[in-house]
Amino acid sequence: DLVNCGAWHPKIKGEYLTCANDATMRLWMVEDNGRRTKQVIKCKNRKTGLRVNPTACTYSKDGLLVVGACIDGSIKMWDHRKNFINVALQMQDAHVNGSEITCIQFGYDNKLVATRCNDETLKLWDVRNFRRYVNCVDGLFSRFAQTECCFSPDDRMILTGTSMEKGDTSGKLIFFDKDTFNKAFQMEVGNSHVIRASWHPK
């Protein structure tokens, strides 16, 4: 099955996380050379109980939360210190059901989480009050399952890319103020879509 995303544990040397179209997220250790998993996490829709494919995954900055975003529009978080059977936090209708959540990232404060989705939105969430998004911006066209978002190293901005629509001459890299979600500025990047972006840590 297709592996959709992967991430290194921020604290435990050699541990990494994957999510795939077999409706699982898996924890691995490098020394096992991929021969066996440390943990298998099964993703299910909260309403129907049916298996659902995770499309993006990550760890919290302290490594205590394992996070998956699923094709049914849900975000699920498990406590790394527990058995991974019951979710610690869950938002079932975070995004539109059937649209890939293409990226999920924690801010450097380890409290705010950004999600990018092919429902043309970028949303910001607070794990301390995980009932509704803090901010949302829409109209961000994306046609790729890998479109990313990330926080600036000073935790003041969030960036994401857009795909070209019919008639466009380029995709855009757009920067938003984290606190207000106002657009700070944008850049046109060549004659192509903007899919992935990474911020220099220094």
Side-chain angles (χ1 to χ4, degrees), residues 28-200:
W28 309 79
M29 296 301 293
V30 169
E31 59 261 32
D32 294 329
N33 294 316
R35 289 189 297 268
R36 62 187 179 91
T37 54
K38 177 180 177 181
Q39 182 72 48
V40 178
I41 305 169
K42 297 178 180 178
C43 299
K44 294 182 179 181
N45 182 283
R46 185 172 67 181
K47 295 176 181 177
T48 66
L50 298 176
R51 291 170 27 143
V52 62
N53 289 335
T55 58
C57 61
T58 192
Y59 292 95
S60 57
K61 293 294 184 185
D62 59 9
L64 297 183
L65 289 173
V66 178
V67 185
C70 298
I71 191 66
D72 64 351
S74 67
I75 302 169
K76 306 175 191 300
M77 302 187 186
W78 291 266
D79 190 325
H80 192 278
R81 298 162 294 186
K82 297 183 179 178
N83 58 17
F84 297 101
I85 295 174
N86 297 316
V87 293
L89 293 169
Q90 184 168 207
M91 173 59 68
Q92 181 57 45
D93 299 310
H95 286 277
V96 174
N97 187 351
S99 292
E100 297 104 330
I101 300 176
T102 59
C103 185
I104 183 163
Q105 289 289 330
F106 270 80
Y108 289 88
D109 65 1
N110 204 42
K111 300 179 181 71
L112 298 179
V113 182
T115 53
R116 180 71 163 99
C117 184
N118 280 350
D119 63 3
E120 302 191 5
T121 65
L122 172 71
K123 292 184 177 182
L124 187 68
W125 309 84
D126 191 329
V127 296
R128 298 165 298 180
N129 186 20
F130 201 58
R131 295 185 180 90
R132 190 179 187 275
Y133 58 79
V134 176
N135 266 314
C136 173
V137 61
D138 57 16
L140 302 172
F141 179 61
S142 167
R143 62 174 61 183
F144 297 97
Q146 302 84 24
T147 301
E148 290 187 341
C149 61
C150 68
F151 290 80
S152 61
D154 63 7
D155 229 15
R156 293 172 60 185
M157 287 196 287
I158 303 172
L159 70 79
T160 190
T162 63
S163 304
M164 289 191 300
E165 296 188 80
K166 187 175 181 179
D168 287 349
T169 57
S170 70
K172 296 179 178 65
L173 191 63
I174 308 178
F175 299 76
F176 297 95
D177 182 280
K178 187 190 75 173
D179 294 330
T180 65
F181 253 42
N182 293 329
K183 185 192 295 183
F185 60 96
Q186 68 181 35
M187 306 164 48
E188 294 188 351
V189 184
N191 185 28
S192 66
H193 311 285
V194 178
I195 303 170
R196 293 183 180 274
S198 183
W199 211 304
H200 192 286

